[in-house]
Amino acid sequence: MGADQTVQVVEVDAVVDGVVDAGHRPSAARVRELVAHGRPVLVRCASAATDDSGAAAAEVIALISVYAWLGARFFATDRPRDTRQALDMVASIRGTRPPAVARRGLA
């Protein structure tokens, strides 16, 4: 995700023009295939309406992190704040943005 490939978090039911919609929780292979075509990809990751547990939230954020690593650029979710934080983390790990805090780990 370079400067020309910014990521965006959108509402769960958003429709984004010019973007390929990979659907709700697609396989990693599907996302990789769509990204390879060069068009921006939207993935939809929302918790089940009846499941507000911490495990459900962790699952959604883990999925979003993997999709971001694979190159998806649009994320429709019911957890925008957590998603933004996960996307920033992925960008920092990839080296496309500086980390929020840099500390040296000397013991």
Side-chain angles (χ1 to χ4, degrees):
M1 288 176 283
D4 62 326
Q5 295 183 343
T6 58
V7 294
Q8 292 185 15
V9 180
V10 297
E11 296 289 327
V12 174
D13 56 353
V15 176
V16 183
D17 292 332
V19 173
V20 177
D21 190 337
H24 186 260
R25 297 185 180 198
S27 69
R30 172 91 173 126
V31 173
R32 189 179 297 116
E33 175 188 337
L34 292 173
V35 168
H37 290 296
R39 294 200 35 219
V41 175
L42 165 72
V43 293
R44 299 180 183 278
C45 290
S47 304
T50 59
D51 191 357
D52 196 30
S53 69
E59 180 180 348
V60 167
I61 298 308
L63 284 168
I64 287 170
S65 298
V66 170
Y67 295 142
W69 189 264
L70 294 173
R73 293 175 29 205
F74 291 83
F75 301 88
T77 181
D78 58 342
R79 299 184 175 281
R81 180 175 292 145
D82 295 336
T83 296
R84 183 77 258 168
Q85 187 175 16
L87 294 173
D88 289 346
M89 177 198 65
V90 170
S92 292
I93 292 169
R94 288 191 125 188
T96 57
R97 80 178 278 280
V101 176
R103 294 193 178 110
R104 293 187 62 180
L106 301 176

XYZ file of all heavy atoms in Angstrom:
785
model
N 0.837 -1.181 0.000
C 0.000 0.000 0.000
C 0.875 1.236 0.000
O 1.320 1.691 1.033
C -0.904 0.009 1.217
C -2.000 -1.000 1.170
S -2.994 -1.048 2.665
C -1.942 -1.928 3.775
N 1.138 1.760 -1.136
C 1.929 2.971 -1.239
C 1.058 4.195 -1.078
O -0.127 4.111 -0.769
N 1.645 5.357 -1.326
C 0.918 6.615 -1.173
C -0.266 6.692 -2.129
O -1.270 7.307 -1.830
C 1.869 7.786 -1.400
N -0.140 6.044 -3.296
C -1.224 6.068 -4.268
C -2.278 5.011 -3.964
O -3.264 4.907 -4.655
C -0.668 5.866 -5.677
C 0.022 4.528 -5.841
O 0.629 4.054 -4.858
O -0.042 3.963 -6.942
N -2.067 4.225 -2.928
C -2.994 3.155 -2.592
C -3.488 3.311 -1.158
O -3.322 2.422 -0.337
C -2.326 1.800 -2.780
C -1.972 1.509 -4.206
C -1.386 0.115 -4.363
O -0.969 -0.508 -3.403
N -1.386 -0.371 -5.579
N -4.109 4.428 -0.875
C -4.620 4.653 0.468
C -5.778 3.706 0.744
O -6.446 3.231 -0.168
C -5.091 6.110 0.634
O -6.092 6.374 -0.343
C -3.946 7.078 0.476
N -5.999 3.434 2.004
C -7.100 2.565 2.399
C -8.206 3.408 3.005
O -7.958 4.475 3.560
C -6.637 1.479 3.390
C -5.664 0.527 2.726
C -6.026 2.067 4.631
N -9.432 2.909 2.889
C -10.581 3.631 3.425
C -11.499 2.673 4.169
O -11.671 1.527 3.752
C -11.365 4.305 2.309
C -10.633 5.441 1.650
C -11.516 6.147 0.625
O -12.736 5.974 0.587
N -10.901 6.948 -0.214
N -12.076 3.182 5.245
C -13.074 2.446 6.002
C -14.422 3.075 5.679
O -14.571 4.295 5.767
C -12.787 2.518 7.518
C -13.836 1.752 8.299
C -11.387 1.999 7.818
N -15.390 2.238 5.297
C -16.709 2.738 4.907
C -17.791 2.026 5.722
O -17.523 1.043 6.404
C -16.950 2.543 3.382
C -15.949 3.348 2.568
C -16.894 1.081 2.994
N -18.995 2.542 5.629
C -20.138 1.941 6.324
C -20.383 0.522 5.816
O -20.039 0.186 4.679
C -21.396 2.782 6.085
C -21.321 4.183 6.652
C -21.390 4.188 8.163
O -22.068 3.327 8.743
O -20.738 5.064 8.758
N -20.998 -0.299 6.643
C -21.232 -1.707 6.330
C -21.969 -1.894 5.004
O -21.627 -2.758 4.211
C -22.026 -2.389 7.470
C -22.403 -3.808 7.103
C -21.212 -2.381 8.746
N -22.954 -1.071 4.738
C -23.773 -1.244 3.527
C -23.381 -0.276 2.406
O -24.140 -0.077 1.461
C -25.247 -1.104 3.869
C -25.563 0.226 4.546
O -24.626 0.977 4.869
O -26.752 0.504 4.764
N -22.188 0.300 2.478
C -21.751 1.289 1.487
C -21.556 0.662 0.113
O -21.186 -0.500 -0.019
C -20.447 1.935 1.941
N -21.824 1.475 -0.897
C -21.530 1.111 -2.283
C -20.489 2.111 -2.762
O -20.700 3.315 -2.705
C -22.802 1.190 -3.161
C -22.470 0.917 -4.614
C -23.864 0.228 -2.644
N -19.354 1.609 -3.224
C -18.257 2.469 -3.651
C -18.058 2.292 -5.149
O -17.802 1.179 -5.615
C -16.954 2.126 -2.890
C -15.846 3.079 -3.283
C -17.187 2.147 -1.388
N -18.202 3.385 -5.899
C -18.053 3.323 -7.355
C -16.614 3.021 -7.751
O -15.671 3.503 -7.126
C -18.486 4.652 -7.994
C -19.981 4.897 -7.859
O -20.735 3.909 -7.783
O -20.378 6.072 -7.826
N -16.462 2.225 -8.803
C -15.140 1.931 -9.349
C -14.332 0.942 -8.540
O -13.135 0.795 -8.751
N -14.983 0.250 -7.620
C -14.300 -0.687 -6.734
C -14.922 -2.074 -6.910
O -16.137 -2.201 -7.036
C -14.432 -0.222 -5.261
C -13.883 -1.243 -4.307
C -13.744 1.114 -5.074
N -14.093 -3.103 -6.907
C -14.577 -4.477 -6.984
C -14.979 -4.919 -5.584
O -14.173 -4.858 -4.657
C -13.482 -5.415 -7.531
C -13.965 -6.853 -7.542
C -13.039 -4.984 -8.906
N -16.216 -5.354 -5.421
C -16.719 -5.810 -4.127
C -16.460 -7.309 -4.009
O -17.056 -8.105 -4.717
C -18.211 -5.502 -4.018
C -18.763 -5.724 -2.626
O -18.159 -6.501 -1.850
O -19.803 -5.124 -2.311
N -15.557 -7.680 -3.102
C -15.213 -9.093 -2.917
C -16.257 -9.829 -2.082
O -16.214 -11.052 -1.981
C -13.849 -9.212 -2.247
N -17.171 -9.105 -1.477
C -18.211 -9.738 -0.682
C -17.866 -9.784 0.800
O -16.906 -9.186 1.261
N -18.693 -10.529 1.550
C -18.550 -10.625 2.994
C -17.599 -11.755 3.353
O -17.838 -12.906 3.005
C -19.919 -10.857 3.639
C -19.877 -10.824 5.127
N -19.858 -11.957 5.893
C -19.819 -9.780 5.993
C -19.805 -11.621 7.165
N -19.792 -10.306 7.260
N -16.501 -11.396 4.005
C -15.487 -12.347 4.461
C -15.052 -13.326 3.367
O -15.146 -14.543 3.531
C -15.976 -13.100 5.682
C -16.225 -12.194 6.872
C -16.601 -12.985 8.087
N -16.829 -12.083 9.204
C -16.837 -12.476 10.459
N -16.633 -13.723 10.770
N -17.056 -11.600 11.419
N -14.562 -12.804 2.254
C -14.127 -13.692 1.172
C -12.856 -14.449 1.564
O -12.170 -14.083 2.524
C -13.833 -12.721 0.031
C -13.442 -11.462 0.716
C -14.303 -11.401 1.949
N -12.541 -15.474 0.804
C -11.302 -16.221 1.070
C -10.102 -15.354 0.707
O -10.198 -14.438 -0.117
C -11.278 -17.508 0.249
O -11.120 -17.198 -1.126
N -8.974 -15.661 1.308
C -7.746 -14.935 1.002
C -7.386 -15.112 -0.475
O -6.922 -14.169 -1.122
C -6.613 -15.417 1.895
N -7.627 -16.295 -1.010
C -7.327 -16.548 -2.425
C -8.157 -15.645 -3.325
O -7.653 -15.116 -4.323
C -7.572 -18.019 -2.762
N -9.410 -15.459 -2.979
C -10.295 -14.589 -3.767
C -9.793 -13.142 -3.738
O -9.734 -12.476 -4.765
C -11.714 -14.670 -3.225
C -12.684 -13.685 -3.819
C -13.396 -14.247 -5.019
N -14.432 -13.319 -5.446
C -14.519 -12.870 -6.676
N -13.692 -13.287 -7.599
N -15.463 -12.022 -7.008
N -9.437 -12.645 -2.567
C -8.945 -11.269 -2.446
C -7.647 -11.118 -3.232
O -7.466 -10.155 -3.977
C -8.761 -10.871 -0.966
C -8.082 -9.519 -0.840
C -10.112 -10.860 -0.253
N -6.741 -12.071 -3.090
C -5.462 -12.028 -3.809
C -5.704 -11.982 -5.321
O -5.068 -11.212 -6.042
C -4.626 -13.250 -3.442
C -3.208 -13.196 -3.951
C -2.382 -14.408 -3.546
N -2.237 -14.507 -2.091
C -2.729 -15.512 -1.352
N -3.397 -16.490 -1.903
N -2.544 -15.527 -0.064
N -6.646 -12.779 -5.798
C -6.976 -12.816 -7.228
C -7.524 -11.471 -7.705
O -7.110 -10.964 -8.750
C -8.014 -13.917 -7.481
C -8.536 -13.991 -8.888
C -9.690 -14.976 -9.017
O -9.801 -15.894 -8.180
O -10.488 -14.819 -9.958
N -8.430 -10.878 -6.953
C -9.022 -9.601 -7.343
C -7.991 -8.473 -7.302
O -7.962 -7.619 -8.188
C -10.211 -9.274 -6.437
C -11.417 -10.188 -6.596
C -12.467 -9.892 -5.526
C -12.026 -10.057 -7.978
N -7.144 -8.463 -6.288
C -6.102 -7.438 -6.177
C -5.142 -7.535 -7.361
O -4.684 -6.524 -7.890
C -5.360 -7.563 -4.827
C -4.094 -6.720 -4.816
C -6.282 -7.158 -3.676
N -4.866 -8.751 -7.804
C -3.931 -8.965 -8.915
C -4.413 -8.314 -10.209
O -3.604 -7.992 -11.076
C -3.718 -10.458 -9.127
N -5.709 -8.089 -10.339
C -6.258 -7.450 -11.532
C -6.017 -5.943 -11.555
O -6.270 -5.293 -12.564
C -7.756 -7.740 -11.672
C -8.039 -9.171 -12.018
N -7.644 -9.760 -13.190
C -8.675 -10.131 -11.306
C -8.025 -11.023 -13.202
N -8.655 -11.276 -12.069
N -5.575 -5.383 -10.444
C -5.181 -3.978 -10.414
C -6.252 -2.980 -10.027
O -5.969 -1.803 -9.863
N -7.484 -3.425 -9.857
C -8.531 -2.498 -9.427
C -8.646 -2.513 -7.914
O -8.341 -3.514 -7.272
C -9.868 -2.912 -10.057
C -9.802 -2.730 -11.561
C -11.102 -2.631 -12.291
N -12.184 -1.963 -11.617
C -13.439 -2.390 -11.698
N -13.756 -3.452 -12.374
N -14.387 -1.721 -11.084
N -9.095 -1.410 -7.310
C -9.278 -1.398 -5.852
C -10.327 -2.430 -5.437
O -11.320 -2.632 -6.141
C -9.768 0.014 -5.547
C -9.720 0.780 -6.808
C -9.447 -0.156 -7.937
N -10.105 -3.058 -4.298
C -10.987 -4.123 -3.817
C -11.610 -3.711 -2.485
O -10.931 -3.191 -1.598
C -10.202 -5.442 -3.647
C -11.070 -6.528 -3.042
C -9.640 -5.894 -4.993
N -12.912 -3.976 -2.357
C -13.673 -3.744 -1.127
C -13.988 -5.085 -0.498
O -14.466 -6.000 -1.179
C -14.980 -3.017 -1.444
C -16.063 -3.000 -0.355
C -15.659 -2.087 0.783
C -17.395 -2.587 -0.930
N -13.698 -5.226 0.793
C -14.122 -6.409 1.535
C -15.076 -5.969 2.635
O -14.952 -4.876 3.178
C -12.934 -7.207 2.119
C -12.115 -7.829 1.026
C -12.079 -6.365 3.014
N -16.002 -6.842 2.941
C -17.002 -6.560 3.969
C -16.780 -7.500 5.143
O -16.798 -8.714 4.964
C -18.402 -6.730 3.406
C -18.680 -5.781 2.271
C -20.076 -5.943 1.686
N -20.239 -5.039 0.557
C -20.547 -3.760 0.655
N -20.745 -3.225 1.847
N -20.669 -3.019 -0.424
N -16.529 -6.918 6.312
C -16.291 -7.706 7.525
C -17.076 -7.082 8.660
O -16.668 -6.064 9.206
C -14.817 -7.713 7.891
S -13.798 -8.636 6.781
N -18.173 -7.689 8.993
C -18.977 -7.194 10.108
C -19.221 -8.340 11.076
O -19.297 -9.500 10.675
C -20.302 -6.639 9.600
N -19.325 -8.004 12.339
C -19.655 -9.004 13.346
C -21.096 -9.426 13.153
O -21.913 -8.655 12.641
C -19.492 -8.413 14.748
O -18.202 -7.910 14.929
N -21.411 -10.625 13.579
C -22.801 -11.070 13.548
C -23.613 -10.135 14.443
O -23.137 -9.696 15.500
C -22.914 -12.498 14.044
N -24.806 -9.808 14.019
C -25.638 -8.851 14.754
C -25.884 -9.290 16.197
O -26.052 -8.464 17.081
C -26.970 -8.668 14.038
N -25.863 -10.586 16.447
C -26.151 -11.091 17.791
C -24.900 -11.365 18.605
O -24.986 -11.752 19.756
C -26.961 -12.401 17.688
O -26.191 -13.347 16.937
C -28.296 -12.162 17.024
N -23.721 -11.161 18.013
C -22.475 -11.501 18.700
C -21.611 -10.261 18.900
O -20.951 -9.795 17.992
C -21.704 -12.545 17.898
C -20.543 -13.134 18.678
O -20.305 -12.694 19.816
O -19.890 -14.049 18.155
N -21.621 -9.729 20.117
C -20.828 -8.543 20.425
C -19.673 -8.888 21.373
O -19.216 -8.067 22.131
C -21.716 -7.451 21.032
C -21.038 -6.094 20.996
O -20.226 -5.864 20.082
O -21.302 -5.276 21.896
N -19.225 -10.139 21.298
C -18.160 -10.579 22.202
C -16.796 -10.078 21.735
O -16.611 -9.675 20.591
C -18.148 -12.116 22.267
O -17.716 -12.639 21.027
N -15.850 -10.120 22.626
C -14.492 -9.729 22.296
C -13.889 -10.643 21.244
O -13.111 -10.207 20.400
N -14.255 -11.924 21.274
C -13.738 -12.874 20.296
C -14.228 -12.530 18.900
O -13.475 -12.634 17.926
C -14.149 -14.291 20.673
N -15.465 -12.106 18.787
C -16.016 -11.727 17.480
C -15.305 -10.495 16.945
O -14.986 -10.417 15.750
C -17.521 -11.473 17.585
N -15.035 -9.538 17.806
C -14.320 -8.327 17.396
C -12.907 -8.669 16.957
O -12.421 -8.175 15.933
C -14.289 -7.317 18.543
N -12.230 -9.535 17.699
C -10.867 -9.941 17.346
C -10.848 -10.653 15.995
O -9.928 -10.452 15.200
C -10.298 -10.837 18.434
N -11.853 -11.464 15.742
C -11.933 -12.178 14.465
C -12.059 -11.198 13.302
O -11.374 -11.329 12.285
C -13.125 -13.129 14.475
C -13.285 -13.903 13.193
C -14.486 -14.842 13.226
O -15.058 -15.070 14.306
O -14.846 -15.335 12.152
N -12.909 -10.197 13.453
C -13.108 -9.201 12.405
C -11.809 -8.434 12.153
O -11.394 -8.252 11.000
C -14.252 -8.222 12.771
C -14.266 -7.015 11.856
C -15.590 -8.948 12.718
N -11.134 -8.006 13.194
C -9.900 -7.236 13.043
C -8.795 -8.103 12.445
O -8.010 -7.634 11.604
C -9.475 -6.623 14.393
C -10.554 -5.657 14.898
C -8.136 -5.923 14.277
C -10.983 -4.601 13.900
N -8.726 -9.369 12.822
C -7.732 -10.277 12.231
C -7.978 -10.434 10.733
O -7.039 -10.378 9.927
C -7.773 -11.626 12.937
N -9.225 -10.624 10.342
C -9.556 -10.748 8.922
C -9.175 -9.485 8.160
O -8.570 -9.553 7.082
C -11.057 -11.021 8.749
C -11.531 -12.426 9.058
C -13.057 -12.465 9.116
C -11.009 -13.405 8.034
N -9.514 -8.348 8.712
C -9.205 -7.074 8.053
C -7.704 -6.904 7.888
O -7.236 -6.444 6.843
C -9.850 -5.909 8.829
C -11.356 -5.926 8.581
C -9.237 -4.570 8.441
C -12.165 -5.006 9.442
N -6.941 -7.289 8.887
C -5.486 -7.179 8.802
C -4.931 -8.036 7.667
O -4.068 -7.596 6.907
C -4.842 -7.586 10.127
O -5.251 -6.722 11.154
N -5.430 -9.245 7.535
C -4.979 -10.132 6.454
C -5.378 -9.554 5.101
O -4.560 -9.516 4.170
C -5.546 -11.557 6.632
C -5.285 -12.415 5.400
C -4.955 -12.205 7.873
N -6.613 -9.097 4.970
C -7.060 -8.516 3.695
C -6.228 -7.293 3.329
O -5.880 -7.096 2.164
C -8.537 -8.131 3.754
C -9.483 -9.298 3.923
C -10.612 -9.185 4.717
C -9.258 -10.513 3.294
C -11.497 -10.234 4.868
C -10.143 -11.570 3.440
C -11.267 -11.430 4.228
O -12.141 -12.468 4.378
N -5.885 -6.470 4.325
C -5.058 -5.295 4.053
C -3.672 -5.716 3.587
O -3.110 -5.130 2.654
C -4.958 -4.424 5.307
N -3.119 -6.720 4.221
C -1.802 -7.213 3.821
C -1.839 -7.715 2.376
O -0.883 -7.547 1.619
C -1.344 -8.321 4.761
C 0.077 -8.704 4.513
C 0.524 -9.743 3.740
C 1.235 -8.044 5.000
N 1.886 -9.756 3.737
C 2.355 -8.726 4.508
C 1.436 -6.938 5.823
C 3.655 -8.345 4.795
C 2.736 -6.560 6.106
C 3.826 -7.259 5.593
N -2.944 -8.324 1.981
C -3.089 -8.845 0.618
C -3.321 -7.742 -0.413
O -3.231 -7.995 -1.606
C -4.231 -9.865 0.558
C -4.002 -11.149 1.344
C -5.270 -11.995 1.341
C -2.830 -11.928 0.778
N -3.674 -6.527 0.043
C -3.816 -5.407 -0.875
C -5.205 -4.826 -1.023
O -5.414 -3.915 -1.821
N -6.196 -5.343 -0.269
C -7.530 -4.732 -0.314
C -7.416 -3.292 0.176
O -6.603 -2.984 1.049
C -8.512 -5.512 0.549
N -8.210 -2.396 -0.402
C -8.085 -0.973 -0.059
C -9.331 -0.354 0.547
O -9.287 0.749 1.060
C -7.669 -0.206 -1.314
C -6.259 -0.607 -1.707
C -5.732 -0.048 -2.981
N -6.229 1.232 -3.402
C -6.247 1.618 -4.673
N -5.804 0.821 -5.613
N -6.697 2.794 -4.994
N -10.458 -1.041 0.498
C -11.699 -0.528 1.078
C -12.253 -1.584 2.024
O -12.297 -2.769 1.687
C -12.721 -0.205 -0.012
C -12.326 0.976 -0.852
C -11.451 0.828 -1.914
C -12.815 2.236 -0.570
C -11.072 1.913 -2.686
C -12.444 3.330 -1.332
C -11.570 3.164 -2.390
N -12.713 -1.133 3.182
C -13.177 -2.040 4.218
C -14.516 -1.562 4.758
O -14.597 -0.474 5.328
C -12.136 -2.112 5.348
C -10.805 -2.591 4.841
C -9.880 -1.694 4.343
C -10.508 -3.936 4.825
C -8.662 -2.123 3.845
C -9.298 -4.381 4.324
C -8.375 -3.478 3.831
N -15.544 -2.369 4.569
C -16.870 -2.064 5.093
C -17.032 -2.852 6.389
O -16.979 -4.085 6.386
C -17.942 -2.450 4.077
N -17.206 -2.134 7.487
C -17.240 -2.800 8.787
C -18.084 -2.026 9.787
O -18.321 -0.828 9.621
C -15.803 -2.973 9.332
O -15.858 -3.633 10.590
C -15.103 -1.641 9.478
N -18.501 -2.737 10.821
C -19.235 -2.097 11.916
C -18.286 -1.692 13.044
O -18.720 -1.225 14.086
C -20.321 -3.041 12.444
C -19.772 -4.372 12.928
O -18.619 -4.717 12.561
O -20.492 -5.085 13.653
N -16.989 -1.854 12.831
C -15.980 -1.501 13.827
C -14.944 -0.550 13.208
O -13.776 -0.908 13.063
C -15.304 -2.756 14.353
C -16.274 -3.693 15.016
C -15.585 -4.885 15.626
N -16.530 -5.706 16.344
C -16.997 -5.465 17.555
N -16.622 -4.395 18.196
N -17.856 -6.266 18.127
N -15.357 0.676 12.842
C -14.450 1.570 12.122
C -13.208 1.990 12.909
O -12.117 2.064 12.345
C -15.324 2.770 11.773
C -16.472 2.715 12.715
C -16.679 1.270 13.047
N -13.344 2.262 14.184
C -12.183 2.706 14.969
C -11.136 1.587 15.082
O -9.951 1.805 14.851
C -12.615 3.174 16.355
C -11.426 3.653 17.190
C -11.851 4.230 18.504
N -12.558 5.480 18.239
C -13.577 5.931 18.940
N -14.023 5.257 19.966
N -14.153 7.076 18.641
N -11.587 0.385 15.420
C -10.670 -0.752 15.518
C -10.044 -1.065 14.161
O -8.870 -1.403 14.072
C -11.399 -1.990 16.036
C -11.907 -1.828 17.454
O -11.344 -0.999 18.200
O -12.869 -2.529 17.823
N -10.843 -0.954 13.118
C -10.349 -1.218 11.767
C -9.267 -0.227 11.380
O -8.223 -0.607 10.843
C -11.513 -1.173 10.758
O -12.420 -2.226 11.074
C -11.022 -1.328 9.334
N -9.501 1.053 11.645
C -8.505 2.070 11.300
C -7.189 1.787 12.016
O -6.106 1.897 11.443
C -9.047 3.456 11.690
C -8.146 4.606 11.327
C -8.236 4.925 9.856
N -7.077 4.389 9.178
C -6.941 4.282 7.874
N -7.901 4.668 7.074
N -5.870 3.802 7.337
N -7.267 1.404 13.283
C -6.065 1.103 14.053
C -5.336 -0.108 13.455
O -4.106 -0.100 13.325
C -6.425 0.844 15.508
C -5.225 0.695 16.413
C -5.633 0.554 17.875
O -6.775 0.278 18.197
N -4.677 0.747 18.751
N -6.074 -1.135 13.068
C -5.459 -2.320 12.454
C -4.821 -1.973 11.110
O -3.728 -2.442 10.797
C -6.502 -3.421 12.279
N -5.482 -1.135 10.320
C -4.933 -0.740 9.024
C -3.662 0.085 9.196
O -2.696 -0.082 8.434
C -5.975 0.038 8.221
C -7.202 -0.765 7.800
C -8.239 0.147 7.160
C -6.823 -1.903 6.877
N -3.625 0.954 10.191
C -2.413 1.724 10.483
C -1.270 0.798 10.899
O -0.119 0.983 10.504
C -2.665 2.761 11.576
C -3.535 3.915 11.093
O -3.726 4.061 9.869
O -4.018 4.670 11.958
N -1.597 -0.226 11.684
C -0.586 -1.185 12.112
C -0.008 -1.936 10.915
O 1.212 -2.079 10.781
C -1.183 -2.185 13.098
C -0.193 -3.259 13.526
S -0.987 -4.711 14.258
C -1.902 -5.348 12.861
N -0.870 -2.392 10.020
C -0.406 -3.111 8.828
C 0.489 -2.204 7.990
O 1.546 -2.624 7.518
C -1.598 -3.649 8.006
C -1.143 -4.172 6.652
C -2.333 -4.733 8.774
N 0.098 -0.962 7.809
C 0.910 -0.023 7.024
C 2.265 0.213 7.684
O 3.291 0.314 6.999
C 0.159 1.293 6.839
N 2.297 0.275 8.994
C 3.570 0.463 9.705
C 4.464 -0.760 9.540
O 5.674 -0.638 9.326
C 3.327 0.733 11.186
O 2.709 1.987 11.359
N 3.898 -1.941 9.640
C 4.677 -3.168 9.473
C 5.227 -3.258 8.052
O 6.372 -3.646 7.842
C 3.839 -4.410 9.821
C 3.532 -4.421 11.322
C 4.548 -5.696 9.398
C 2.503 -5.439 11.741
N 4.413 -2.876 7.073
C 4.855 -2.902 5.678
C 5.887 -1.820 5.375
O 6.557 -1.876 4.372
C 3.665 -2.679 4.752
C 2.738 -3.842 4.698
C 1.767 -3.657 3.594
N 1.931 -4.862 2.800
C 1.394 -5.066 1.652
N 0.660 -4.146 1.096
N 1.576 -6.191 1.012
N 5.943 -0.805 6.232
C 6.891 0.276 6.027
C 6.355 1.400 5.159
O 7.108 2.235 4.676
N 5.039 1.467 4.982
C 4.446 2.524 4.164
C 3.994 3.716 4.984
O 3.533 4.703 4.425
C 3.265 1.985 3.338
O 2.299 1.412 4.221
C 3.738 0.930 2.351
N 4.102 3.629 6.296
C 3.851 4.758 7.184
C 4.696 4.563 8.426
O 4.975 3.420 8.807
C 2.371 4.892 7.544
C 1.897 3.952 8.621
C 0.441 4.119 9.004
N 0.172 5.187 9.930
C 0.347 5.129 11.247
N 0.841 4.054 11.816
N 0.045 6.139 12.008
N 5.113 5.657 9.033
C 5.914 5.497 10.249
C 5.043 5.003 11.401
O 3.846 5.291 11.450
C 6.431 6.911 10.519
C 5.494 7.813 9.812
C 4.938 7.043 8.649
N 5.625 4.262 12.338
C 4.844 3.825 13.501
C 4.439 5.031 14.349
O 5.103 6.068 14.314
C 5.812 2.913 14.265
C 7.155 3.247 13.752
C 6.994 3.795 12.363
N 3.363 4.899 15.086
C 2.894 5.994 15.943
C 3.924 6.318 17.020
O 4.129 7.472 17.374
C 1.558 5.629 16.574
N 4.574 5.292 17.550
C 5.598 5.462 18.577
C 6.738 4.510 18.247
O 6.506 3.341 17.982
C 5.052 5.131 19.981
C 6.135 5.216 21.030
C 3.892 6.037 20.334
N 7.948 5.013 18.254
C 9.114 4.171 18.004
C 9.957 4.098 19.265
O 10.361 5.123 19.807
C 9.941 4.755 16.858
N 10.170 2.889 19.737
C 10.990 2.677 20.922
C 12.008 1.594 20.619
O 11.708 0.639 19.924
C 10.124 2.229 22.089
C 9.159 3.280 22.536
C 8.548 2.908 23.890
N 7.662 3.944 24.313
C 6.357 3.829 24.372
N 5.775 2.701 24.035
N 5.606 4.823 24.771
N 13.165 1.760 21.185
C 14.192 0.728 21.047
C 14.022 -0.266 22.180
O 13.879 0.110 23.334
C 15.577 1.351 21.087
C 15.816 2.213 19.874
C 17.206 2.695 19.814
N 18.093 1.530 19.715
C 19.397 1.637 19.639
N 19.953 2.820 19.669
N 20.149 0.566 19.543
N 14.061 -1.520 21.854
C 13.884 -2.559 22.864
C 15.198 -3.122 23.360
O 15.561 -4.229 23.015
N 15.894 -2.337 24.141
C 17.151 -2.806 24.713
C 16.912 -3.266 26.140
O 16.405 -2.531 26.965
C 18.197 -1.698 24.697
C 18.538 -1.124 23.314
C 19.509 0.029 23.461
C 19.122 -2.212 22.431
N 17.321 -4.480 26.415
C 17.097 -5.028 27.756
C 18.224 -4.700 28.684
O 19.316 -4.504 28.379
C 16.912 -6.537 27.673
